[in-house]
């Protein structure tokens, strides 16, 4: 019987959401999953150091040098080789192809720094999301964890957490607060929920 679901985390930057997953694992808050592999589409990023510090195998590819298609293919091979069952996009900024998404249908999670469907889709990533929210004048924003389908940021929503915008907020201060108050809590919680569901499904055949 399956004991723990093997999780692969895909990253492109600072890796603070990866860190939240590592911290949750170390605190016993991810009992049904195991962080088994970290993959990045950029070399030299902080997220890779965080993986190595936590003793998680990590591989870096280079999207700029190799192109997105080749990187995606090599990522799929690495995930299969490590028997990864759940893929978590934690600040991963490459858009995955339908081939990848179908291989892991219903088993890819993404964290997005807004209350989807607001400020989502192509071009909305990282600080740009918070800039757009501030320009529009929203008073409440937040974060969303959703399943990934073929529409960017368009998959089924699993968890959301609102965060209030404060007077004087910049994209940077808002990003930090959305991470602290929402993303770092939601992503480990949603990952555990999905792993739990997979274990139950396998158990009941
Ligand atoms: C996070 O705010 C994440 O939600 C966002 O990028 C940041 C990565 O930070 N992702 C997207 O915008 C995806 N469309 P991190 O590398 O410190 O986790």
């Amino acid at each position: 019987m399956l004991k723990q679901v093997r999780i692969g985390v895909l990253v492109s930057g600072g890796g603070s959401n990866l860190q939240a997953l590592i911290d949750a694992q170390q605190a016993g808050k991810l009992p049904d999953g195991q962080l088994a592999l970290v993959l990045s589409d950029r070399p030299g990023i902080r997220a890779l150091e965080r993986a190595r510090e936590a003793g998680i195998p990590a591989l870096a590819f280079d999207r700029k040098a190799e192109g997105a298609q080749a990187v995606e293919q090599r990522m799929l091979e690495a995930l299969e080789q490590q028997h990864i069952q759940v893929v978590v996009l934690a600040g991963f900024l490459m858009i995955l192809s339908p081939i990848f998404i179908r291989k892991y249908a219903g088993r890819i999670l993404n964290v997005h720094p807004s209350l989807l469907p607001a400020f989502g889709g192509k071009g909305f990533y990282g600080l740009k999301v918070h800039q757009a929210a501030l320009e529009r004048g929203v008073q409440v924003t937040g974060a969303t964890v959703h399943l990934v389908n073929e529409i960017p940021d368009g998959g089924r929503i699993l968890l959301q957490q609102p965060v209030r915008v404060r007077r004087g907020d910049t994209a940077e201060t808002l990003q930090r607060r959305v991470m602290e108050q929402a993303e770092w809590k939601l992503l480990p919680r949603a990952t555990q929920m999905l792993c739990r569901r997979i274990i139950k499904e396998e158990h009941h055949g």
Side-chain angles (χ1 to χ4, degrees), residues 1-203:
M1 203 179 77
L2 182 62
K3 286 212 174 79
Q4 273 189 322
V5 172
R6 288 175 67 77
I7 303 165
V9 186
L10 273 49
V11 293
S12 300
S16 72
N17 279 288
L18 167 64
Q19 190 65 52
L21 289 165
I22 292 168
D23 294 347
Q25 173 127 293
Q26 288 171 357
K29 291 181 181 165
L30 198 47
D32 295 313
Q34 188 198 348
L35 300 172
L37 183 64
V38 171
L39 300 176
S40 96
D41 65 341
R42 283 170 63 195
I45 57 175
R46 174 82 183 104
L48 290 163
E49 277 174 46
R50 293 182 194 269
R52 293 192 182 116
E53 282 162 16
I56 305 167
L59 289 175
F61 301 103
D62 190 340
R63 170 157 52 127
K64 280 207 183 112
E66 297 181 51
Q69 222 185 328
V71 166
E72 192 187 277
Q73 185 53 41
R74 293 180 64 189
M75 285 187 167
L76 268 178
E77 284 163 15
L79 293 168
E80 277 166 25
Q81 203 179 21
Q82 286 296 317
H83 309 290
I84 298 300
Q85 298 156 287
V86 160
V87 175
V88 177
L89 310 184
F92 185 64
L93 301 183
M94 194 171 118
I95 292 182
L96 294 169
S97 78
I99 297 170
F100 189 113
I101 291 166
R102 273 185 228 131
K103 283 225 162 105
Y104 282 93
R107 294 187 171 203
I108 311 174
L109 292 178
N110 180 44
V111 60
H112 184 80
S114 73
L115 294 175
L116 289 173
F119 308 113
K122 206 166 180 280
F124 284 106
Y125 59 87
L127 276 176
K128 287 179 197 273
V129 178
H130 302 290
Q131 267 151 10
L134 288 175
E135 272 164 30
R136 185 62 185 268
V138 297
Q139 296 180 9
V140 179
T141 181
T144 302
V145 178
H146 63 93
L147 288 171
V148 172
N149 66 9
E150 289 167 26
I151 304 159
D153 297 322
R156 182 169 182 77
I157 290 168
L158 300 180
L159 293 174
Q160 286 189 309
Q161 172 76 42
V163 174
R164 284 204 83 81
V165 176
R166 288 188 194 151
R167 219 176 307 134
D169 257 336
T170 61
E172 287 80 8
T173 61
L174 188 56
Q175 179 183 53
R176 177 78 197 176
R177 214 163 52 257
V178 167
M179 284 177 164
E180 279 175 6
Q181 294 184 3
E183 295 185 48
W184 299 341
K185 294 178 183 163
L186 295 188
L187 189 59
R189 215 181 286 159
T191 305
Q192 166 56 22
M193 277 168 51
L194 180 59
C195 292
R196 177 96 217 120
R197 210 185 70 205
I198 290 170
I199 286 182
K200 276 195 175 159
E201 278 169 11
E202 305 234 340
H203 186 60

